[in-house]
Every structure is written in structure tokens, then in C-alpha cells.
Amino acid sequence: MRAHDFIVVGAGTAGSVMAARLSEDPGVRVLLLEVGAAEGPPAMSVPAAWPTLIGSEVDWGFNTVAQVGLDGAVLPYPRGKVLGGSSGINAMAHVRAHRSSYDDWAAAGATGWGYDDLLPYFRRSETTEGRDPYYRGTDGPMHPMAPRRQPPAAVDCLAAFKELGHPYSADLNGADQEGASWYEMTIVDGNRQSAADAYLRPVMRRRPNLTVINDAQVHRLMISGNRCTGVEYAEANGQRWTAWADSEVVLCAGVIGSPQLLHLSGIGPADALRSHCIQIVADVPGVGENLSDHPLGSVVYAAARPVPPGENNHGDILGALRTDQTLDEPDMHVLFCDVPLTPSAMLGPESGFTIGFSLLRPRSRGSVRLASADPGAAPLVDPGFLTDERDVAGMLAGLRLAREIGGSDAMARWRKEEVR
Ligand SMILES: Cc1cc2nc3c(=O)[nH]c(=O)nc-3n(C[C@H](O)[C@H](O)[C@H](O)COP(=O)(O)OP(=O)(O)OC[C@H]3O[C@@H](n4cnc5c(N)ncnc54)[C@H](O)[C@@H]3O)c2cc1C
């Protein structure tokens, strides 16, 4: 039995920030519980090695259910399981959404979540150099940077966007959120900066009021009346604990873990939970529904000459583009990658490059549902990729844009042929 003011569940992007900010007040006792380890493999700090983290010990290793929009394909669905969570395994791109995306949240009823409402928090999160301080932070914990060295294939790719009439943006996170630009990455002195690196590690040993417990899996939220009063968790050795929160439990277990924990705690669609013999606390059918994620496609080219690697994560150029000029804002990200991104099951060219494309506002919706009442069992993850025909049309438009970039005159000296 341990008592705290706040219990934060999950030390990923959100949980690292929550625990660090709440514990700034020395009078507030904060407990942070994370099922992953305190440290991961050395590859976690090497930007170019990020793809090797997928399927590693710091990845939950989820798979989707068979995707009806993809001819029944089952896809890996990586999520970080380590201090830093998915920010410990992700591709480190530091890109705000277009302002219209946040404004749509506010228009849909999320008062206080429009772009202008969030801008002070975006600024507070980052330190940038040479940017417009109206939009960009100057003293926050994250240190995003565009690459210092500009490799020639990436320079040519930027020229390809220009050749095809797409605008250039000096800062996609600033005033001008449309066009092609150099990618900003959360990479500091050549190393990944996860949310844990930025927010948690600098303070966690210095604050006696902040307790961080790793290898601790929360099994259930304790509900008393209509209040969450604490959590039940198990350490790796099987020892079980109950921790009580005098103030609040802050659920930051991520897009898969948070709905799973609510379900295990009896909060969700009552009939589905009863089928797993879970006692109902609140019948809330929306918990676990409306999962939405960005599909990513790629066009892979064999190279006519070796493509010199960039210094970061293999991707240096990003275009935020409109596939249809009648749209009010960009609907597609098109990106350059200095290696052939070929799924492991397929043979790719030895040397090559990739033009990737991703829908910014997918319409398809899926769900996260329980497979079992066992907290150790993976839930059923269904992103519902391409189940909405508008997403199919959008991805085809993205494919055309990507092929135009890859097939441009500016990329001619690098391109041998399109291979996938
Ligand atoms: C491969 C990959 C590449 C990506 N690339 C980018 C990118 O380049 N740029 C970008 O902006 N975004 C990227 N993302 C997305 C981004 O990383 C996530 O959106 C973000 O990290 C989510 O933050 P979160 O706090 O919601 O969840 P997470 O960071 O996933 O944190 C959830 C934490 O909760 C823990 N947890 C879950 N269940 C429990 C439990 N029961 N008990 C205790 N702990 C629990 C997990 O282990 C995890 O540490 C990428 C994601 C992936 C997986």
C-alpha cells in the first residue's frame, strides 16, 4: 500500500511530460509506473538505427487483426515499451499538424484545443534556433533541429518539389505549413532525444517527490464510487501492489494501452466486457472505438549511383502537399528517404531510395478491443486501414505525387528505375 498525490500510468511521450511537470512542485508526490525497462538497447540513441527497434525488446510487438481494406493482411503495429515509450523507438520527426487539424478539434467540441490555444504549449515544449519566436519556442526541453549537413540526393529531392511547382516552406512548424522543407528531428548531438530524455531523465534522480518504477505493469484502475482512487500493478517478479492517489490517476498508457486498461477496469462497452466476465463500472461504448492512424505507402527506386546517407534518420526532406488544389489545406505528406524501404519479406535493391507518402487525415476508423481479461494478453488492434474509399483515393493521389517526385528531372542522376 503506497500513497501518492498523483499516479501517472505509462512513461511514454505523454507520461514523461506529465510526471516531470507535476513533480515540479516539491509538495506534490508523484508516482510514475512504466511496464518497460529504464534503458533500452544502444540502438535507441542512434538515429539511423531506429528501424531495427521495431520487433526488438523495446517494442510491444503488436500485430493488427486481418485488415479487410488490405486483402486480409496482418501488419506489425509497433509501440514503445521502455522509459520514453514510443518516443524511444519512433522516427524522431518533429512536425506539428496543420493548424486546421487542431481547429477542427475545437470545432468538434474540444474547447481549448484549437491551434491558437495550443501554440503557447508548443512553444513551451521546444528550444529552436533561428526560427520565428511567435511560433517557435526558445527555452523548452525538446531540441528539434534540421540536419546541419545537406546530402546531395536530399538537395536534389528538394529541387524536385520545386520543379513540380510545390512551394518551399522555411519552417513547416511555423507560419507556413505547406510545401517542402528540411525535416526537423528531435536529435541532439547525433543522439535521439526521447520525451524521457527531454523531460524525465534530467529530474528523476533529483526530485525526492518523484518515484519512477519500471518493469511495473498496471493491471487495473481502482474505482470507488465515480472516482479513480488508485491502481493495481505487478512487478516483473510477479509481486503485486496497490498504489493510492489522493488527487488523481493520469492514464498515459498510449493509444492501445489506455483503452485496454479502461476495459480491464470495467469502463467501456458493457456487453463486450461482460463477455470477458468483467464487472461493469461504467457502460461507455466509445472507449476503444474510433482508432485512426495514418497509412504510409512508398515508391522504391534502385539507385544509379550510391546514395550518400544523411546524418539523421534516413529521411531529410518532407513535403506537406495538397493532392487537389481545391482543398483548403495539405492532405498529404511526401517524404524522401535515402534507403530502399522494402518490407523484410521482399527483396529490395541493394542501393536505392524511397519516396514515401502518408495521408494526413485518414477517414477510416477502427478499434482496440479486449481479446481476453488477462492484462498480459495483447488486445485486438484494428486500425481499419483503407476501409473508407476516400482513403483509397487519397493514397492513390499520394502515390501519383510520390512517383512524380521520384521520376523528376532533378532526381534523374540518382534514379536507375522504379522497382516497387
Ligand atoms: C515506429 C514508430 C515511428 C514513429 N515515428 C514518429 C515520428 O517520427 N514523429 C512523431 O511525431 N511521431 C512518431 N510516432 C508516433 C509517436 O511516437 C506517438 O504518437 C507518441 O509517442 C505517443 O505517445 P503516448 O504517450 O500517447 O504513448 P506512448 O509513447 O506509446 O507511451 C505509452 C507508455 O505506456 C506504457 N504502458 C502501456 N500500458 C501499460 C500498463 N498497463 N502499465 C504500465 N505501463 C504501460 C508503454 O510501455 C509506454 O511506455 C511513431 C511511432 C512509432 C511506433
Side-chain angles (χ1 to χ4, degrees):
M1 297 275 190
R2 302 174 182 182
H4 301 84
D5 295 303
F6 290 91
I7 299 173
V8 179
V9 179
T13 301
S16 295
V17 178
M18 289 303 299
R21 295 278 290 125
L22 286 167
S23 62
E24 277 175 17
D25 180 345
V28 170
R29 298 159 302 163
V30 178
L31 172 66
L32 174 60
L33 296 169
E34 165 58 46
V35 64
E39 301 291 340
M44 261 175 65
S45 54
V46 182
W50 76 267
T52 67
L53 300 168
I54 295 173
S56 75
E57 73 269 28
V58 286
D59 175 9
W60 281 83
F62 296 124
N63 287 306
T64 67
V65 301
Q67 292 296 281
V68 293
L70 303 175
D71 272 349
V74 171
L75 304 181
Y77 206 77
R79 297 278 102 194
K81 188 183 194 181
V82 64
L83 211 66
S86 298
S87 78
I89 68 164
N90 73 12
M92 295 154 286
H94 184 83
V95 189
R96 288 179 199 166
H98 193 269
R99 65 179 304 139
S100 59
S101 294
Y102 305 109
D103 289 343
D104 281 359
W105 288 353
T111 306
W113 290 84
Y115 180 84
D116 290 333
D117 303 310
L118 295 178
L119 187 54
Y121 302 98
F122 291 147
R123 277 198 302 253
R124 189 190 283 181
S125 72
E126 59 178 19
T127 295
T128 58
E129 285 169 25
R131 302 299 201 187
D132 179 350
Y134 178 79
Y135 292 98
R136 307 303 308 270
T138 52
D139 57 2
M142 304 292 295
H143 288 252
M145 290 269 295
R148 287 174 209 270
R149 192 166 53 74
Q150 302 189 340
V155 171
D156 286 342
C157 188
L158 195 57
F161 280 94
K162 187 174 176 201
E163 176 188 321
L164 293 159
H166 302 297
Y168 172 76
S169 166
D171 181 3
L172 282 172
N173 291 325
D176 190 7
Q177 293 194 281
E178 178 167 3
S181 192
W182 291 92
Y183 244 127
E184 271 186 24
M185 304 281 166
T186 44
I187 295 172
V188 177
D189 297 330
N191 295 312
R192 170 194 297 275
Q193 187 192 35
S194 71
D197 296 330
Y199 283 86
L200 210 51
R201 290 201 168 89
V203 300
M204 57 191 258
R205 288 196 181 78
R206 287 199 278 119
R207 291 187 186 162
N209 60 324
L210 171 62
T211 307
V212 181
I213 304 183
N214 283 96
D215 303 308
Q217 180 159 17
V218 175
H219 285 182
R220 202 160 67 91
L221 308 174
M222 313 290 293
I223 312 287
S224 174
N226 61 1
R227 215 176 92 74
C228 180
T229 50
V231 301
E232 263 179 23
Y233 69 95
E235 290 181 336
N237 61 10
Q239 172 114 33
R240 286 168 171 260
W241 298 91
T242 305
W244 301 105
D246 288 345
S247 189
E248 289 181 34
V249 174
V250 190
L251 189 49
C252 299
V255 72
I256 309 299
S258 289
Q260 183 188 19
L261 260 177
L262 288 167
H263 288 166
L264 291 171
S265 311
I267 299 167
D271 289 346
L273 300 187
R274 270 193 207 104
S275 72
H276 293 289
C277 302
I278 292 172
Q279 201 185 333
I280 306 304
V281 168
D283 179 14
V284 191
V287 175
E289 297 304 306
N290 284 311
L291 178 63
S292 166
D293 205 347
H294 308 267
L296 172 74
S298 56
V299 187
V300 179
Y301 295 87
R305 64 187 69 226
V307 181
E311 64 189 15
N312 283 336
N313 71 345
H314 298 297
D316 275 337
I317 302 295
L318 173 67
L321 310 181
R322 279 181 283 170
T323 55
D324 171 352
Q325 292 311 309
T326 64
L327 293 172
D328 292 332
E329 69 268 341
D331 61 330
M332 189 66 57
H333 272 178
V334 176
L335 51 105
F336 170 72
C337 179
D338 61 29
V339 289
L341 277 185
T342 312
S344 50
M346 295 173 86
L347 278 182
E350 225 164 80
S351 168
F353 63 90
T354 304
I355 309 294
F357 53 98
S358 184
L359 270 184
L360 295 182
R361 294 193 183 201
R363 306 299 219 317
S364 303
R365 293 292 182 266
S367 60
V368 178
R369 293 182 183 154
L370 284 187
S372 144
D374 174 1
L380 303 170
V381 178
D382 180 9
F385 283 130
L386 302 193
T387 47
D388 187 308
E389 281 301 318
R390 290 170 294 184
D391 291 355
V392 179
M395 286 301 274
L396 284 170
L399 175 62
R400 277 183 219 110
L401 278 178
R403 274 186 156 158
E404 283 172 11
I405 300 291
S408 63
D409 290 346
M411 291 304 286
R413 71 176 171 133
W414 304 102
R415 180 181 63 242
K416 186 171 163 203
E417 58 180 339
E418 180 188 309
V419 291
R420 195 171 72 79

